[in-house]
Amino acid sequence: MAKPIAIVTGGSRGIGQAIVGELSQTHQVLGTYNTNRKAADEVAAATGAVMLPCQLDNPSSREEFLHEVQARFSPVHLLINNAGIAPRQRCDILEASPESFDELMATNLKGPYFLTQRIARSMLDEGMGRIVFVSSISSFTASINRGDYCMAKAALSMAVKLFAARLAPHNIPVFEIQPGIIRTDMIAAVAADYDRRISEGLLPQRRMGEPFDVASAVRAIADGHLDYCTGQVLHVDGGFHLRTL
Ligand SMILES: NC(=O)c1ccc[n+]([C@@H]2O[C@H](COP(=O)([O-])OP(=O)(O)OC[C@H]3O[C@@H](n4cnc5c(N)ncnc54)[C@H](OP(=O)(O)O)[C@@H]3O)[C@@H](O)[C@H]2O)c1
């Protein structure tokens, strides 16, 4: 039997790469990348995934990608909205630029929102599917040196609730994964500082997260173990979200 089809955005590096590796064991994976063709080719060679470009912040690139999906990768059983960016520069909210705001909203919110809208419609036609959004602890944590990132992720959390409510009657559960601090290129510049703060107690579980921690949560969803939990938030954060006294 043909394997079910999974789309993983931002599959060329970091968390997305780990998700592509995990899902390739059970799914035909279609991964996307932004500009890093070399990394994408390496992931394809290692996993058997098909890797296509899709600039999430660019509507015509999204459209081209969706055309390919419809022509060659239907029906989609699983959509993992993983791709995202940090601000090019961490900048105090009293100084942050409109350009950075627009870039973060277009890539981290508008892109996944409208991509999901289209894939969800095709899932409705099929009467099945599962959808995951990778947000962040930043959706509830105020970091005043990257407010645009926090606001985009907070809005993405609401997108999860909206899609979950809309699709619940149609057998299509929607999930949010909130990673904490995960060792990838995205945090490379501040990794040493995070390692120090984690060793001093920043996280209840005293290690930084790894991409496979997020991929493992995706596995539970992909296998259907959480199908009655639509709208659920999975905190993959070493306990960061816990309030302690
Ligand atoms: N790392 C963390 O600590 C952490 C914590 C919480 C949440 N997250 C979230 O987890 C997700 C993955 O993060 P990561 O740490 O794995 O990041 P990463 O290592 O920087 O990888 C980012 C991925 O997104 C793709 N991408 C970048 N800009 C894009 C665009 N405009 N359109 C489409 N794809 C684009 C990249 O493609 P190229 O390779 O072509 O550039 C790459 O595949 C993001 O949504 C991030 O916000 C990360």
Side-chain angles (χ1 to χ4, degrees):
M1 262 189 15
K3 287 178 173 178
I5 293 172
I7 294 177
V8 181
T9 68
S12 49
R13 290 183 291 121
I15 292 170
Q17 178 181 354
I19 296 171
V20 169
E22 176 62 41
L23 289 179
S24 291
Q25 298 171 31
T26 49
H27 290 65
Q28 168 62 62
V29 178
L30 173 57
T32 76
Y33 63 98
N34 185 28
T35 54
N36 199 335
R37 172 85 191 268
K38 184 169 177 289
D41 285 348
E42 285 168 10
V43 172
T47 63
V50 175
M51 298 294 291
L52 293 177
C54 176
Q55 281 91 46
L56 271 180
D57 52 317
N58 177 339
S60 58
S61 175
R62 284 202 308 269
E63 206 55 46
E64 260 176 59
F65 174 72
L66 285 163
H67 183 76
E68 283 294 308
V69 170
Q70 197 179 19
R72 295 168 53 204
F73 300 97
S74 291
V76 177
H77 292 74
L78 178 62
L79 169 63
I80 312 290
N81 288 296
N82 162 75
I85 54 169
R88 290 170 192 266
Q89 254 189 317
R90 291 188 171 198
C91 198
D92 186 280
I93 54 163
L94 300 185
E95 309 293 337
S97 71
E99 291 77 18
S100 178
F101 183 95
D102 288 346
E103 184 178 33
L104 269 286
M105 290 295 167
T107 308
N108 290 0
L109 178 63
K110 195 172 176 184
Y113 178 77
F114 284 105
L115 185 77
T116 300
Q117 182 189 70
R118 293 284 292 278
I119 302 281
R121 280 190 222 155
S122 67
M123 286 178 172
L124 273 182
D125 291 341
E126 299 292 333
M128 60 91 208
R130 298 183 180 100
I131 298 174
V132 177
F133 288 84
V134 178
S135 65
S136 171
I137 52 173
S138 295
S139 61
F140 66 89
T141 305
S143 298
I144 57 174
N145 63 356
R146 47 183 186 284
D148 37 21
Y149 183 79
C150 296
M151 285 186 283
K153 291 296 188 179
L156 197 65
S157 292
M158 178 50 76
V160 175
K161 294 179 178 60
L162 292 164
F163 280 116
R166 176 65 179 83
L167 300 173
H170 304 280
N171 197 27
I172 302 170
V174 182
F175 304 93
E176 175 176 2
I177 295 181
Q178 284 184 355
I181 304 166
I182 311 291
R183 200 179 301 281
T184 70
D185 294 346
M186 181 177 277
I187 61 124
V190 287
D193 185 44
Y194 279 141
D195 275 327
R196 179 186 55 76
R197 293 172 65 190
I198 290 167
S199 73
E200 291 169 1
L202 176 66
L203 303 180
Q205 290 180 301
R206 294 201 175 183
R207 69 166 175 89
M208 192 181 287
E210 300 291 340
F212 73 78
D213 290 310
V214 182
S216 300
V218 169
R219 166 55 61 202
I221 293 169
D223 285 351
H225 296 311
L226 304 181
D227 277 356
Y228 196 58
C229 309
T230 193
Q232 190 62 251
V233 180
L234 281 78
H235 301 277
V236 185
D237 64 358
F240 176 84
H241 67 284
L242 298 169
R243 299 176 72 129
T244 55
L245 190 61

